[in-house]
Amino acid sequence: MTQPAPTTEHALAKEADRTDGGGESTGTVIVAGLANLAIAVAKLIGGLISHSSAMLSEAAHSVADTVTEVFLFVALKRGNRPPDAKHPFGYGRETYFWAFLASLATFGLGAGFSIWQGVTTIIEGEEQGDPRISYIVLAVSFVLEGASWLKAVRQVRSAARKWDVTPGEYLSGTTDTTVKAVTFEDTAALIGLVLAALGLFLEQVTGDPVWDGLSAIVIGLLLIVVATVLGRANVSLLIGQSVSPRLQAELKAEIAALDHVVDVPFLLTSVIGPAQLLVAAKVDFDDDVNAGDIERISDEAEQRLVARHEGVRYVFLDPTAGDGRARAQVHRPTGA
């Protein structure tokens, strides 16, 4: 089968509503972006007044997060374009390209500046200014970041309940990297605010700017961890990631349970975008089954997978002999 049945689009409608340009993921990104922009300005002012490296690092952190949200917004818009002749499976994977750029922004802008600022403070020292404005900015920032974080967490918990998994399992396996990015970055932002306040307090108590510098360095290391986790997830999806072994086994069992199907010796899955899945399988049919029955069974297989596994967009079945040679011999180029 080369085209999905009309029921495929119908089955994906609800899932697409969550991930398209007007869905919940977009709302999460917009809220996070606006919050980060306001927070970045406030942190910058507080850092300049208090001469705090940790505060300036947090300002860079918020700038990086703002840039990240812009990339994620572009990812949602670009990745949701419909298929065309040049890209028959759509543009879903472009989402992961922009999301990967977002992780690089976190690494370069946030982590790089934070570590540099912290090392400079430890080596050269700093003249401490009035920390009161910084404490106020940190408190307000915590409230704003917390609001953005709660929105992302609510979305994660809602999706986790839908798929009957824990929030952690959902974040680990979801193909909606925008939600994953916002959740991870907002969590890191809240931790960073606590670290900045701690560094500022210890410098105020001891008079030693080393604490402020160490706080900035730890914030930078935290951002490196977040950027690495998100970057690896996006690269895997961009290359072409399969679904979990459990879901692959369920898909294989669905096909094997059909009439006149003897075995499914080979099955491939590939994520082609957020909530978009391609399924391809070699199927061993009964020897006495005719071409008409194979067409009917193939249509039934597609409709069953689409109806029972939300997210399946394309299903390709290839009749194959049950002789143990489900895949053709690959001819490698000379010299490979």
Side-chain angles (χ1 to χ4, degrees):
M1 293 180 289
T2 58
Q3 295 292 333
T7 52
T8 305
E9 299 299 328
H10 176 72
L12 285 172
K14 291 184 179 179
E15 185 70 12
D17 286 342
R18 294 195 310 109
T19 55
D20 66 10
E24 189 175 357
S25 295
T26 303
T28 300
V29 169
I30 292 175
V31 169
L34 293 175
N36 284 324
L37 181 59
I39 291 169
V41 175
K43 287 177 180 176
L44 178 61
I45 295 173
L48 292 175
I49 293 175
S50 64
H51 301 161
S52 169
S53 293
M55 282 297 297
L56 292 176
S57 296
E58 273 298 296
H61 181 176
S62 294
V63 170
D65 283 351
T66 302
V67 174
T68 293
E69 307 309 335
V70 172
F71 279 131
L72 294 178
F73 183 80
V74 173
L76 288 169
K77 293 298 183 181
R78 299 280 297 175
N80 197 52
R81 289 177 295 168
D84 54 33
K86 190 173 183 180
H87 299 89
F89 295 120
Y91 291 81
R93 283 184 182 165
E94 188 172 349
T95 301
Y96 307 129
F97 168 75
W98 291 100
F100 178 71
L101 293 184
S103 66
L104 292 182
T106 299
F107 182 88
L109 294 176
F113 180 84
S114 296
I115 294 175
W116 172 80
Q117 187 70 29
V119 171
T120 301
T121 298
I122 292 175
I123 294 175
E124 300 179 0
E126 65 182 7
E127 179 184 353
Q128 187 177 27
D130 186 355
R132 288 177 297 180
I133 185 65
S134 291
Y135 287 130
I136 295 174
V137 169
L138 288 172
V140 174
S141 298
F142 196 89
V143 172
L144 294 176
E145 291 282 10
S148 175
W149 180 80
L150 285 174
K151 178 174 175 57
V153 168
R154 281 196 296 267
Q155 183 175 353
V156 169
R157 287 178 176 174
S158 175
R161 285 194 299 269
K162 176 181 179 180
W163 298 108
D164 194 25
V165 296
T166 66
E169 289 172 335
Y170 174 78
L171 278 176
S172 175
T174 181
T175 60
D176 189 350
T177 57
T178 55
V179 174
K180 180 184 292 187
V182 172
T183 304
F184 274 58
E185 289 167 1
D186 283 350
T187 302
L190 292 174
I191 296 173
L193 290 169
V194 174
L195 291 172
L198 181 61
L200 197 64
F201 174 75
L202 291 175
E203 181 185 9
Q204 183 182 6
V205 171
T206 64
D208 190 348
V210 169
W211 293 108
D212 190 43
L214 287 174
S215 178
I217 292 175
V218 175
I219 291 171
L221 295 176
L222 174 65
L223 292 179
I224 288 178
V225 172
V226 171
T228 301
V229 171
L230 294 177
R232 290 181 62 182
N234 285 306
V235 167
S236 179
L237 289 164
L238 185 60
I239 293 172
Q241 180 177 298
S242 64
V243 298
S244 67
R246 185 185 71 174
L247 182 53
Q248 289 198 68
E250 291 177 2
L251 294 169
K252 188 173 182 178
E254 291 281 1
I255 298 173
L258 294 168
D259 292 338
H260 301 295
V261 173
V262 177
D263 190 20
V264 183
F266 190 72
L267 182 140
L268 284 174
T269 60
S270 182
V271 176
I272 57 175
Q276 299 175 35
L277 180 64
L278 180 149
V279 180
K282 296 272 190 177
V283 180
D284 179 18
F285 291 94
D286 287 332
D287 292 338
D288 58 350
V289 69
N290 58 45
D293 285 334
I294 290 178
E295 291 178 354
R296 176 184 58 80
I297 296 167
S298 297
D299 286 337
E300 182 182 348
E302 181 176 50
Q303 293 180 27
R304 178 177 295 191
L305 295 186
V306 166
R308 299 185 182 183
H309 300 275
E310 190 174 16
V312 173
R313 177 161 291 185
Y314 297 93
V315 179
F316 300 94
L317 301 186
D318 180 14
T320 187
D323 55 6
R325 294 180 294 179
R327 298 185 67 184
Q329 179 66 37
V330 176
H331 297 282
R332 300 185 181 278
T334 303

